[in-house]
Amino acid sequence: MGEAVQRRFLGLTAAVAALGMTATLSACGGDAGSGDVTLKLVAADYGTGPENSSEKYWSGVASGFEKEHPGIKIDVTVLSWKDVDREVAEMVKAGNAPDIAQIGAYADYAKAGKLYTADETLAIRTTANFLPSLTDAGKVDGTLYGLPFVASTRLLFYNQKLFEQAGLDAPETWDDISSDAAALKAKGVDYPFALPLGQEEAQAETLMWLLSGNGGYTDDVGSYDIDSAENVATFRWLRDNLVGKGLTGPVAPGKLDRAKAFEAFTAGKVGMLNGHPTLMDEAEAKGIKVGMVPLPGAEGPTKGSMGVADWMMGFKENGHRKEIGTFLDYAYSDENVLEFAEQYDLLPVTGSASAAMETDKKHQKLHEFLAALPNSTLPPFGKTSWATVSDAIKKKIGSAVAPGSNPESILGEISAEATQAEAAE
């Protein structure tokens, strides 16, 4: 999935929901097109197999929509996350863009003038119902192109059984993490703190730590600031207080992918790591009692969190602006948004659906993640340079915590690549 989100809730979401109920439709969204039109929809598969494939969800949405709008047909194609972004890029390059895509990135298409804006397609009530932090992340040059589809946040997970055996309380500060990890190591825990900075999702793990050190990928005006003093200090701390003390396990962080770290956690071999809702369910299904707290910072719990989101977008190529808007307004109904979020243990992207989930005891396990969403920070998805920068982080950041490394030099290299990529936009 895509990167960082968030902002207290019932008051906000209730207000947003109320706005959604009272706002009128825009002139260009919400009305069905004339004549018979087939919209091509390409979406990512969030399932783990045929039994929970996202194709079932989208086929159901398409069927319901077609019953209400008999003049518009939906041709659904669902592809794995490994393939979907590349496949859509190839479709666009070949002049065969889908009408609607639900994928991981939108900025390149927006910059190239290939996407409709939200104002050109959606009803006002739909746009107004998105959580503000997510719409901020979906903008290019101040205009909303990337429509948030689903979101997630991260919390620090810890194995309660291992903590109890070591006589530990949940950590609140970096010092707590270091001392708790040392105690877990003394008890024979394989990975006292699993730190996955391998290439699979190093850009996300990195952002969580930067935020906990009062830094981030960008500064207050949105410019890259990867080698800031705060960021360098964070990676020096990781190098000296976790990795250098042998507290991150048998696999070097730069070689440890997130999937392997999660697998070790569900096997009871990890004391602490940063996790998301899906991992919570997978671990509990394996009998792991999971504790969750906001990521500790240098002096206390981090006030914000890293958020991630995936994106929906409408392509101009086939000229189906009205029909695309009609379908998207339908797809973003509370019923559809909640159904998808519930199926995959993700967070809804609209205020009204978030409020419904927040007050539903059935979703109590997700409430801590929901609470973190409004104050979360997403990666800079609106920058077309982000794909290049993200790749540089994946390749190099693991070496910044290796014993004897120079974090300032490595972050400086990544920062230089970011500056160059930004200048090339």
Side-chain angles (χ1 to χ4, degrees):
M1 278 192 41
E3 294 176 82
V5 202
Q6 302 114 2
R7 287 148 214 313
R8 184 108 212 181
F9 231 81
L10 274 177
L12 171 64
T13 52
V16 173
L19 176 59
M21 291 171 63
T22 58
T24 58
L25 297 180
S26 68
C28 51
D31 53 337
S34 58
D36 289 335
V37 169
T38 297
L39 297 179
K40 183 176 181 180
L41 166 68
V42 177
D45 192 354
Y46 291 71
T48 56
E51 69 285 347
N52 68 343
S53 169
S54 299
E55 187 166 1
K56 292 182 179 180
Y57 169 82
W58 284 115
S59 295
V61 172
S63 177
F65 174 80
E66 290 171 355
K67 288 177 182 178
E68 292 189 17
H69 304 274
I72 309 174
K73 303 297 181 184
I74 309 297
D75 177 12
V76 175
T77 299
V78 175
L79 302 171
S80 75
W81 267 114
K82 292 181 179 179
D83 301 324
V84 67
D85 286 289
R86 173 180 51 81
E87 291 276 358
V88 169
E90 291 176 358
M91 292 176 192
V92 173
K93 186 177 180 180
N96 188 32
D99 295 287
I100 302 167
Q102 184 274 300
I103 51 178
Y106 66 87
D108 284 344
Y109 302 126
K111 280 282 190 179
K114 295 183 180 297
L115 301 182
Y116 289 117
T117 68
D119 287 344
E120 290 174 319
T121 52
L122 297 181
I124 293 173
R125 66 164 182 256
T126 303
T127 305
N129 201 18
F130 290 131
L131 297 177
S133 54
L134 300 182
T135 53
D136 287 349
K139 292 178 179 178
V140 173
D141 297 330
T143 300
L144 181 60
Y145 291 93
L147 312 179
F149 178 63
V150 285
S152 182
T153 54
R154 302 290 190 264
L155 296 172
L156 178 74
F157 285 23
Y158 63 96
N159 183 313
Q160 289 190 1
K161 180 180 179 180
L162 296 179
F163 264 62
E164 290 168 2
Q165 291 173 345
L168 301 174
D169 295 322
E172 295 183 356
T173 66
W174 284 356
D175 286 345
D176 292 341
I177 287 178
S178 183
S179 61
D180 289 353
L184 293 165
K185 182 180 180 180
K187 289 288 186 179
V189 176
D190 290 349
Y191 293 86
F193 194 105
L195 184 65
L197 293 175
Q199 291 196 27
E200 181 190 352
E201 207 193 21
Q203 82 288 355
E205 183 74 17
T206 296
L207 181 56
M208 285 182 265
W209 283 100
L210 298 185
L211 293 172
S212 75
N214 297 315
Y217 286 135
T218 58
D219 59 21
D220 291 340
V221 295
S223 299
Y224 284 117
D225 195 22
I226 294 171
D227 60 346
S228 69
E230 292 84 357
N231 293 346
V232 170
T234 294
F235 271 80
R236 283 178 177 161
W237 187 90
L238 288 169
R239 178 197 64 186
D240 297 340
N241 294 278
L242 285 184
V243 183
K245 293 182 178 179
L247 301 177
T248 53
V251 181
K255 301 291 186 181
L256 182 63
D257 282 341
R258 182 187 68 166
K260 292 297 183 182
F262 283 10
E263 182 180 307
F265 186 78
T266 63
K269 298 178 180 180
V270 173
M272 295 172 278
L273 51 55
N274 294 314
H276 56 50
T278 302
L279 175 62
M280 172 186 64
D281 280 350
E282 291 174 351
E284 291 181 349
K286 295 283 186 68
I288 305 298
K289 191 175 180 183
V290 181
M292 298 179 292
V293 293
L295 182 64
E299 298 179 357
T302 305
K303 294 181 180 179
S305 171
M306 187 200 77
V308 294
D310 297 319
W311 307 98
M312 186 90 78
M313 61 212 71
F315 283 87
K316 292 180 176 180
E317 186 172 305
N318 300 316
H320 296 148
R321 176 177 61 83
K322 289 185 178 181
E323 293 84 0
I324 290 170
T326 303
F327 177 76
L328 291 175
D329 286 335
Y330 179 89
Y332 280 108
S333 69
D334 282 356
E335 179 183 0
N336 289 327
V337 170
L338 283 169
E339 180 184 346
F340 194 91
E342 290 170 359
Q343 182 170 354
Y344 297 107
D345 288 320
L346 294 166
L347 304 181
V349 296
T350 63
S352 55
S354 295
M357 181 175 281
E358 191 177 33
T359 57
D360 190 340
K361 292 183 179 179
K362 178 176 65 174
H363 301 299
Q364 188 150 3
K365 290 193 294 186
L366 292 175
H367 288 176
E368 288 188 62
F369 295 96
L370 274 172
L373 186 59
N375 295 314
S376 64
T377 300
L378 280 73
F381 288 121
K383 292 178 176 290
T384 56
S385 59
W386 172 239
T388 299
V389 176
S390 176
D391 190 55
I393 293 167
K394 291 178 181 180
K395 291 177 179 178
K396 296 183 176 183
I397 201 64
S399 60
V401 297
S405 67
N406 185 340
E408 185 171 9
S409 174
I410 294 165
L411 289 172
E413 290 177 17
I414 297 171
S415 184
E417 289 194 44
T419 300
Q420 184 177 0
E422 185 84 340
E425 282 194 7

